CSV table of all heavy atoms in Angstrom, one decimal:
chain,number,residue,atom,x,y,z
P,4,GLU,N,0.9,-1.1,0.0
P,4,GLU,CA,0.0,0.0,0.0
P,4,GLU,C,0.7,1.3,0.0
P,4,GLU,O,0.7,2.2,-0.8
P,4,GLU,CB,-0.8,0.0,1.2
P,4,GLU,CG,-1.8,1.2,1.3
P,4,GLU,CD,-2.8,1.1,2.5
P,4,GLU,OE1,-2.8,0.1,3.2
P,4,GLU,OE2,-3.4,2.2,2.7
P,5,GLY,N,1.9,1.2,0.9
P,5,GLY,CA,2.7,2.4,0.8
P,5,GLY,C,3.6,2.6,-0.5
P,5,GLY,O,3.9,3.6,-1.0
P,6,LEU,N,3.9,1.4,-1.0
P,6,LEU,CA,4.7,1.4,-2.3
P,6,LEU,C,3.8,2.0,-3.4
P,6,LEU,O,4.2,2.8,-4.2
P,6,LEU,CB,5.1,0.0,-2.6
P,6,LEU,CG,5.9,-0.2,-3.8
P,6,LEU,CD1,7.3,0.6,-3.7
P,6,LEU,CD2,6.3,-1.6,-4.1
P,7,GLU,N,2.5,1.7,-3.4
P,7,GLU,CA,1.5,2.2,-4.4
P,7,GLU,C,1.5,3.7,-4.3
P,7,GLU,O,1.3,4.5,-5.3
P,7,GLU,CB,0.3,1.5,-4.4
P,7,GLU,CG,-0.8,2.1,-5.3
P,7,GLU,CD,-0.5,2.1,-6.8
P,7,GLU,OE1,0.6,1.3,-7.2
P,7,GLU,OE2,-1.0,2.8,-7.6
P,8,TYR,N,1.5,4.1,-3.0
P,8,TYR,CA,1.3,5.6,-2.8
P,8,TYR,C,2.5,6.3,-3.3
P,8,TYR,O,2.4,7.3,-4.0
P,8,TYR,CB,1.2,5.8,-1.4
P,8,TYR,CG,1.1,7.3,-0.9
P,8,TYR,CD1,0.0,8.0,-0.9
P,8,TYR,CD2,2.3,7.9,-0.5
P,8,TYR,CE1,-0.1,9.4,-0.5
P,8,TYR,CE2,2.4,9.3,-0.2
P,8,TYR,CZ,1.1,9.9,-0.2
P,8,TYR,OH,1.2,11.3,0.2
P,9,ALA,N,3.6,5.7,-3.1
P,9,ALA,CA,4.9,6.3,-3.5
P,9,ALA,C,5.0,6.3,-5.1
P,9,ALA,O,5.5,7.3,-5.8
P,9,ALA,CB,6.1,5.7,-2.9
P,10,ARG,N,4.5,5.2,-5.6
P,10,ARG,CA,4.6,5.1,-7.1
P,10,ARG,C,3.7,6.3,-7.7
P,10,ARG,O,4.2,6.9,-8.7
P,10,ARG,CB,4.0,3.6,-7.5
P,10,ARG,CG,4.1,3.5,-9.2
P,10,ARG,CD,3.2,2.4,-9.6
P,10,ARG,NE,1.8,2.7,-9.4
P,10,ARG,CZ,1.2,3.6,-10.3
P,10,ARG,NH1,1.7,4.2,-11.2
P,10,ARG,NH2,-0.1,4.0,-10.1
P,11,ARG,N,2.6,6.4,-7.3
P,11,ARG,CA,1.7,7.5,-7.8
P,11,ARG,C,2.5,8.9,-7.6
P,11,ARG,O,2.3,9.7,-8.6
P,11,ARG,CB,0.3,7.4,-7.2
P,11,ARG,CG,-0.6,6.2,-7.4
P,11,ARG,CD,-2.0,6.4,-7.2
P,11,ARG,NE,-2.1,6.8,-5.8
P,11,ARG,CZ,-2.4,6.1,-4.8
P,11,ARG,NH1,-2.5,4.7,-5.0
P,11,ARG,NH2,-2.6,6.5,-3.5
P,12,ALA,N,3.0,9.2,-6.5
P,12,ALA,CA,3.5,10.4,-6.2
P,12,ALA,C,4.8,10.7,-7.2
P,12,ALA,O,4.9,11.8,-7.8
P,12,ALA,CB,4.0,10.4,-4.8
P,13,VAL,N,5.6,9.5,-7.4
P,13,VAL,CA,6.8,9.7,-8.2
P,13,VAL,C,6.4,9.9,-9.6
P,13,VAL,O,7.0,10.6,-10.4
P,13,VAL,CB,7.8,8.6,-8.0
P,13,VAL,CG1,8.9,8.6,-9.0
P,13,VAL,CG2,8.3,8.7,-6.4
P,14,GLN,N,5.4,9.1,-10.0
P,14,GLN,CA,5.0,9.1,-11.4
P,14,GLN,C,4.4,10.5,-11.7
P,14,GLN,O,4.6,11.0,-12.8
P,14,GLN,CB,3.9,8.1,-11.8
P,14,GLN,CG,3.6,7.8,-13.1
P,14,GLN,CD,4.8,7.6,-14.0
P,14,GLN,OE1,5.4,6.5,-13.8
P,14,GLN,NE2,5.1,8.4,-15.0
P,15,HIS,N,3.6,11.1,-10.8
P,15,HIS,CA,3.2,12.5,-11.0
P,15,HIS,C,4.4,13.5,-11.2
P,15,HIS,O,4.3,14.3,-12.0
P,15,HIS,CB,2.3,12.9,-9.8
P,15,HIS,CG,1.8,14.2,-9.8
P,15,HIS,ND1,0.8,14.7,-10.7
P,15,HIS,CD2,2.3,15.5,-9.2
P,15,HIS,CE1,0.7,16.0,-10.6
P,15,HIS,NE2,1.5,16.5,-9.7
P,16,ILE,N,5.4,13.3,-10.4
P,16,ILE,CA,6.7,14.2,-10.4
P,16,ILE,C,7.2,14.1,-11.9
P,16,ILE,O,7.6,15.0,-12.6
P,16,ILE,CB,7.7,13.9,-9.4
P,16,ILE,CG1,7.1,14.2,-8.1
P,16,ILE,CG2,9.0,14.6,-9.7
P,16,ILE,CD1,7.9,13.8,-6.9
P,17,ILE,N,7.4,12.8,-12.3
P,17,ILE,CA,7.9,12.5,-13.6
P,17,ILE,C,7.1,13.2,-14.7
P,17,ILE,O,7.6,13.8,-15.7
P,17,ILE,CB,8.1,11.0,-13.8
P,17,ILE,CG1,9.2,10.4,-12.9
P,17,ILE,CG2,8.5,10.7,-15.3
P,17,ILE,CD1,9.3,8.9,-12.8
P,18,ASP,N,5.8,12.9,-14.7
P,18,ASP,CA,4.9,13.5,-15.8
P,18,ASP,C,4.9,14.9,-15.7
P,18,ASP,O,4.9,15.5,-16.8
P,18,ASP,CB,3.5,12.8,-15.5
P,18,ASP,CG,3.5,11.4,-15.7
P,18,ASP,OD1,4.3,10.8,-16.3
P,18,ASP,OD2,2.5,10.7,-15.2
P,19,ALA,N,4.8,15.6,-14.5
P,19,ALA,CA,4.7,17.0,-14.4
P,19,ALA,C,6.0,17.6,-15.0
P,19,ALA,O,5.9,18.8,-15.5
P,19,ALA,CB,4.4,17.4,-13.0
P,20,GLY,N,7.2,17.0,-14.8
P,20,GLY,CA,8.4,17.7,-15.2
P,20,GLY,C,8.8,17.2,-16.6
P,20,GLY,O,9.8,17.7,-17.1
P,21,HIS,N,8.0,16.3,-17.3
P,21,HIS,CA,8.4,15.8,-18.6
P,21,HIS,C,9.8,15.2,-18.6
P,21,HIS,O,10.6,15.3,-19.5
P,21,HIS,CB,8.3,16.9,-19.6
P,21,HIS,CG,6.8,17.5,-19.6
P,21,HIS,ND1,5.8,16.9,-20.1
P,21,HIS,CD2,6.5,18.8,-19.2
P,21,HIS,CE1,4.7,17.6,-20.0
P,21,HIS,NE2,5.1,18.9,-19.5
P,22,TYR,N,10.1,14.4,-17.5
P,22,TYR,CA,11.4,13.8,-17.4
P,22,TYR,C,11.4,12.5,-18.2
P,22,TYR,O,10.4,11.8,-18.2
P,22,TYR,CB,11.8,13.6,-16.0
P,22,TYR,CG,11.9,14.8,-15.1
P,22,TYR,CD1,11.0,15.1,-14.1
P,22,TYR,CD2,12.9,15.8,-15.4
P,22,TYR,CE1,11.1,16.1,-13.3
P,22,TYR,CE2,13.0,16.9,-14.6
P,22,TYR,CZ,12.1,17.1,-13.6
P,22,TYR,OH,12.2,18.2,-12.9
P,23,PRO,N,12.5,12.2,-18.8
P,23,PRO,CA,12.6,10.9,-19.5
P,23,PRO,C,13.1,9.8,-18.5
P,23,PRO,O,13.7,8.8,-19.0
P,23,PRO,CB,13.6,11.1,-20.6
P,23,PRO,CG,14.6,12.2,-20.0
P,23,PRO,CD,13.7,13.0,-19.2
P,24,ALA,N,12.7,9.9,-17.3
P,24,ALA,CA,13.1,8.9,-16.2
P,24,ALA,C,12.3,7.7,-16.3
P,24,ALA,O,11.2,7.7,-16.9
P,24,ALA,CB,13.0,9.5,-14.8
P,25,LYS,N,12.9,6.6,-15.8
P,25,LYS,CA,12.0,5.2,-15.9
P,25,LYS,C,11.8,4.9,-14.4
P,25,LYS,O,12.7,5.0,-13.5
P,25,LYS,CB,12.9,4.1,-16.4
P,25,LYS,CG,12.3,2.8,-16.4
P,25,LYS,CD,13.3,1.8,-17.0
P,25,LYS,CE,12.7,0.3,-17.0
P,25,LYS,NZ,13.6,-0.7,-17.6
P,26,LEU,N,10.5,4.5,-14.1
P,26,LEU,CA,10.2,4.2,-12.7
P,26,LEU,C,9.9,2.6,-12.6
P,26,LEU,O,9.3,2.1,-13.4
P,26,LEU,CB,9.0,5.0,-12.4
P,26,LEU,CG,8.4,4.7,-11.0
P,26,LEU,CD1,9.3,5.0,-9.9
P,26,LEU,CD2,7.0,5.5,-10.9
P,27,ILE,N,10.6,2.1,-11.6
P,27,ILE,CA,10.3,0.7,-11.2
P,27,ILE,C,10.0,0.7,-9.8
P,27,ILE,O,10.4,1.3,-8.9
P,27,ILE,CB,11.7,-0.2,-11.4
P,27,ILE,CG1,12.2,0.0,-12.7
P,27,ILE,CG2,11.5,-1.7,-11.0
P,27,ILE,CD1,13.6,-0.6,-12.9
P,28,CYS,N,9.0,-0.3,-9.4
P,28,CYS,CA,8.5,-0.6,-8.1
P,28,CYS,C,8.6,-2.0,-7.8
P,28,CYS,O,8.1,-2.8,-8.6
P,28,CYS,CB,7.1,0.0,-7.9
P,28,CYS,SG,7.0,1.8,-8.2
P,29,THR,N,9.0,-2.4,-6.6
P,29,THR,CA,9.0,-3.8,-6.2
P,29,THR,C,9.1,-3.8,-4.6
P,29,THR,O,9.6,-3.0,-3.9
P,29,THR,CB,10.4,-4.4,-6.7
P,29,THR,OG1,10.3,-5.8,-6.4
P,29,THR,CG2,11.5,-3.8,-6.4
P,30,THR,N,8.6,-5.0,-4.2
P,30,THR,CA,8.8,-5.3,-2.7
P,30,THR,C,10.1,-6.0,-2.4
P,30,THR,O,10.3,-6.3,-1.3
P,30,THR,CB,7.5,-6.1,-2.2
P,30,THR,OG1,7.5,-7.4,-3.0
P,30,THR,CG2,6.2,-5.3,-2.3
P,31,ASP,N,10.8,-6.4,-3.5
P,31,ASP,CA,12.1,-7.1,-3.3
P,31,ASP,C,13.3,-6.4,-3.8
P,31,ASP,O,13.5,-6.3,-5.0
P,31,ASP,CB,11.8,-8.5,-4.0
P,31,ASP,CG,13.2,-9.5,-3.9
P,31,ASP,OD1,14.1,-9.0,-3.2
P,31,ASP,OD2,13.0,-10.5,-4.5
P,32,ARG,N,14.2,-6.0,-3.0
P,32,ARG,CA,15.2,-5.0,-3.3
P,32,ARG,C,16.1,-5.8,-4.1
P,32,ARG,O,16.8,-5.1,-5.0
P,32,ARG,CB,15.8,-4.5,-2.1
P,32,ARG,CG,16.5,-5.4,-1.0
P,32,ARG,CD,17.2,-4.8,0.1
P,32,ARG,NE,17.6,-5.8,1.1
P,32,ARG,CZ,17.0,-6.1,2.2
P,32,ARG,NH1,15.8,-5.6,2.5
P,32,ARG,NH2,17.6,-7.0,2.9
P,33,THR,N,16.4,-7.0,-4.0
P,33,THR,CA,17.3,-7.8,-4.8
P,33,THR,C,17.1,-7.8,-6.3
P,33,THR,O,17.8,-8.1,-7.1
P,33,THR,CB,17.6,-9.2,-4.4
P,33,THR,OG1,16.3,-10.0,-4.5
P,33,THR,CG2,17.8,-9.3,-2.8
P,34,GLU,N,15.8,-7.4,-6.6
P,34,GLU,CA,15.4,-7.3,-8.1
P,34,GLU,C,16.0,-6.1,-8.6
P,34,GLU,O,16.1,-6.1,-9.9
P,34,GLU,CB,13.9,-7.4,-8.1
P,34,GLU,CG,13.3,-8.6,-7.9
P,34,GLU,CD,11.7,-8.6,-7.9
P,34,GLU,OE1,11.2,-7.5,-8.3
P,34,GLU,OE2,11.0,-9.6,-7.8
P,35,VAL,N,16.2,-5.1,-7.9
P,35,VAL,CA,16.6,-3.8,-8.5
P,35,VAL,C,17.9,-3.3,-8.0
P,35,VAL,O,18.4,-2.4,-8.7
P,35,VAL,CB,15.5,-2.7,-8.2
P,35,VAL,CG1,14.2,-3.0,-8.9
P,35,VAL,CG2,15.3,-2.6,-6.7
P,36,LEU,N,18.6,-3.8,-7.1
P,36,LEU,CA,19.9,-3.4,-6.8
P,36,LEU,C,21.0,-3.7,-7.8
P,36,LEU,O,22.0,-2.8,-7.8
P,36,LEU,CB,20.4,-4.3,-5.4
P,36,LEU,CG,19.7,-3.6,-4.1
P,36,LEU,CD1,20.1,-4.5,-3.0
P,36,LEU,CD2,20.0,-2.2,-3.9
P,37,PRO,N,21.0,-4.8,-8.5
P,37,PRO,CA,22.0,-4.9,-9.6
P,37,PRO,C,22.1,-3.7,-10.5
P,37,PRO,O,21.1,-3.3,-11.1
P,37,PRO,CB,21.6,-6.2,-10.3
P,37,PRO,CG,20.9,-7.0,-9.4
P,37,PRO,CD,20.1,-5.9,-8.5
P,38,GLY,N,23.4,-3.1,-10.6
P,38,GLY,CA,23.6,-2.1,-11.5
P,38,GLY,C,23.2,-0.8,-10.8
P,38,GLY,O,23.3,0.3,-11.6
P,39,ALA,N,22.8,-0.7,-9.6
P,39,ALA,CA,22.6,0.7,-9.0
P,39,ALA,C,23.9,1.5,-8.9
P,39,ALA,O,24.9,0.9,-8.4
P,39,ALA,CB,21.9,0.4,-7.6
P,40,ASP,N,23.7,2.8,-9.1
P,40,ASP,CA,24.8,3.8,-8.9
P,40,ASP,C,24.6,4.4,-7.4
P,40,ASP,O,25.7,4.8,-6.8
P,40,ASP,CB,24.7,4.9,-9.8
P,40,ASP,CG,25.0,4.3,-11.3
P,40,ASP,OD1,26.1,4.0,-11.6
P,40,ASP,OD2,24.0,4.4,-12.1
P,41,GLY,N,23.4,4.5,-6.9
P,41,GLY,CA,23.2,5.1,-5.6
P,41,GLY,C,22.0,4.2,-4.9
P,41,GLY,O,21.1,3.8,-5.6
P,42,VAL,N,22.1,4.0,-3.7
P,42,VAL,CA,21.2,3.3,-2.8
P,42,VAL,C,20.8,4.2,-1.6
P,42,VAL,O,21.8,4.8,-0.8
P,42,VAL,CB,21.7,1.9,-2.3
P,42,VAL,CG1,20.7,1.3,-1.4
P,42,VAL,CG2,22.1,1.1,-3.5
P,43,LEU,N,19.7,4.5,-1.5
P,43,LEU,CA,19.2,5.5,-0.4
P,43,LEU,C,18.1,4.7,0.4
P,43,LEU,O,17.2,4.1,0.0
P,43,LEU,CB,18.5,6.7,-1.1
P,43,LEU,CG,19.3,7.6,-2.0
P,43,LEU,CD1,19.4,7.1,-3.4
P,43,LEU,CD2,18.8,9.0,-2.0
P,44,SER,N,18.6,4.8,1.8
P,44,SER,CA,17.8,4.2,2.8
P,44,SER,C,17.0,5.1,3.5
P,44,SER,O,17.5,6.0,4.1
P,44,SER,CB,18.6,3.3,3.6
P,44,SER,OG,17.8,2.7,4.8
P,45,MET,N,15.5,4.9,3.7
P,45,MET,CA,14.7,5.7,4.5
P,45,MET,C,13.7,4.8,5.2
P,45,MET,O,12.5,5.2,5.4
P,45,MET,CB,14.1,6.8,3.7
P,45,MET,CG,13.4,6.2,2.6
P,45,MET,SD,13.3,7.4,1.2
P,45,MET,CE,14.9,7.2,0.4
P,46,LEU,N,14.1,3.6,5.5
P,46,LEU,CA,13.3,2.6,6.1
P,46,LEU,C,12.9,2.7,7.5
P,46,LEU,O,13.6,3.4,8.3
P,46,LEU,CB,13.8,1.2,5.8
P,46,LEU,CG,15.1,0.9,6.6
P,46,LEU,CD1,14.9,0.3,7.8
P,46,LEU,CD2,15.8,-0.2,5.7
P,47,MET,N,11.8,2.2,8.0
P,47,MET,CA,11.5,2.1,9.4
P,47,MET,C,11.1,0.6,9.6
P,47,MET,O,10.4,0.0,9.0
P,47,MET,CB,10.1,2.9,9.6
P,47,MET,CG,9.7,2.7,11.1
P,47,MET,SD,8.2,3.8,11.6
P,47,MET,CE,9.1,5.3,11.7
P,48,ALA,N,12.0,0.1,10.6
P,48,ALA,CA,12.1,-1.4,10.9
P,48,ALA,C,10.8,-1.9,11.4
P,48,ALA,O,10.5,-3.1,11.4
P,48,ALA,CB,13.3,-1.6,11.7
P,49,GLN,N,10.1,-1.0,12.2
P,49,GLN,CA,8.9,-1.5,13.0
P,49,GLN,C,7.8,-0.4,12.7
P,49,GLN,O,8.0,0.7,12.4
P,49,GLN,CB,9.2,-1.4,14.5
P,49,GLN,CG,10.3,-2.5,14.9
P,49,GLN,CD,9.7,-4.0,14.6
P,49,GLN,OE1,8.5,-4.3,14.6
P,49,GLN,NE2,10.7,-4.9,14.4
P,50,PRO,N,6.5,-0.8,13.0
P,50,PRO,CA,5.4,0.1,12.8
P,50,PRO,C,5.5,1.3,13.8
P,50,PRO,O,6.2,1.3,14.7
P,50,PRO,CB,4.1,-0.8,13.2
P,50,PRO,CG,4.6,-2.1,13.1
P,50,PRO,CD,6.1,-2.2,13.3
């Protein structure tokens, strides 16, 4: 649910700015870490 909220917000930023960026969303970080230039953590471990 939080991921979908973030997806909509980021997609809105990309569309509004007409950026040629690509957006990927996943619940499994190992799917997207390969090839990363930067990794940013803002997680909360518990509710």
Side-chain angles (χ1 to χ4, degrees):
E4 182 178 351
L6 184 61
E7 173 59 19
Y8 176 91
R10 185 199 66 78
R11 294 197 305 267
V13 171
Q14 190 61 57
H15 176 75
I16 293 171
I17 293 174
D18 294 342
H21 303 288
Y22 298 114
K25 179 181 179 182
L26 178 60
I27 303 173
C28 299
T29 180
T30 57
D31 182 358
R32 61 180 177 265
T33 63
E34 293 180 354
V35 292
L36 282 175
D40 297 291
V42 180
L43 297 82
S44 169
M45 57 211 74
L46 62 84
M47 178 175 283
Q49 298 290 336

